[in-house]
Amino acid sequence: MDEPPPIPPDLDCEYEGRPFRHCTRCGETLLDDAGGYHVSKAYRQGECVMEYALCHHCRSAMMEEFSGESKQRLAEYQDDHVQLDRGLDHCSVCNRSGEGLDDYVISGLCAGDRLHQGLLLCGDCAENIQHLLSKPTKDTWRRFVDENFPGPPGEGVEPEVESLPALPVAAVRS
């Protein structure tokens, strides 16, 4: 079996200008996490508007907080529509090329310095996935954003349509 490729620079932390080293939620180191970790970056009008990395424990804990209804809908959607072999070059749902897209999400399931699964969702497909989520699941996401992305008073980061779907779709069956 071939060794997975290195994590591409596209999944590096924009803020720090290097690969993610710590979990956004708990602060633990990612490189030693035996269960791997998840990186996700959302782009709007070509600019990275949100990025995070979650260790295996935090990713699993967040998925446990999602409603059963959302998890079932996401799993069915993934089974019926998502192609996990398109990597970061084409939308995993509609196969639209990532080149030239303004609104999209990229994510990766990583272990150490290796990418085990990459995924791109164009803005249209990400928006369609948003409609699969229950209000309790959206509330879970809002809490994650509020707790981990503080902003100026009254100007917290709004959970963007493009920033939520990459986590559950990529993680439902992993």
Side-chain angles (χ1 to χ4, degrees), residues 118-172:
L119 180 118
L120 180 144
L121 288 173
C122 71
D124 292 337
C125 291
E127 185 175 338
N128 290 336
I129 292 170
Q130 176 78 9
H131 298 294
L132 301 174
L133 304 174
S134 67
K135 182 179 180 328
T137 296
K138 290 177 183 178
D139 290 344
T140 295
W141 178 252
R142 283 187 185 90
R143 269 192 313 280
F144 170 74
V145 170
D146 290 346
E147 292 168 1
N148 295 285
F149 300 97
E155 295 183 30
V157 177
E158 186 64 26
E160 302 288 344
V161 169
E162 293 87 358
S163 31
L164 177 57
L167 172 67
V169 172
V172 169

Side-chain angles (χ1 to χ4, degrees), residues 100-113:
L101 286 179
D102 286 332
D103 298 337
Y104 61 97
V105 175
I106 56 173
S107 66
L109 292 175
C110 308
D113 64 352

Side-chain angles (χ1 to χ4, degrees), residues 47-106:
E47 179 182 346
C48 184
V49 295
M50 177 178 244
E51 62 180 3
Y52 58 91
L54 294 175
C55 67
H56 177 73
H57 173 77
C58 287
R59 181 174 63 100
S60 296
M62 183 177 280
M63 286 302 300
E64 285 301 314
E65 294 175 34
F66 284 10
S67 73
E69 174 187 16
S70 290
K71 287 190 276 191
Q72 179 179 346
R73 286 179 183 171
L74 289 166
E76 289 171 0
Y77 187 87
Q78 181 171 315
D79 289 345
D80 294 342
H81 301 287
V82 177
Q83 299 296 313
L84 296 175
D85 61 351
R86 295 182 179 151
L88 301 176
D89 296 326
H90 289 82
C91 179
S92 294
V93 176
C94 71
N95 203 29
R96 183 182 304 168
S97 173
E99 194 169 319
L101 286 179
D102 286 332
D103 298 337
Y104 61 97
V105 175
I106 56 173

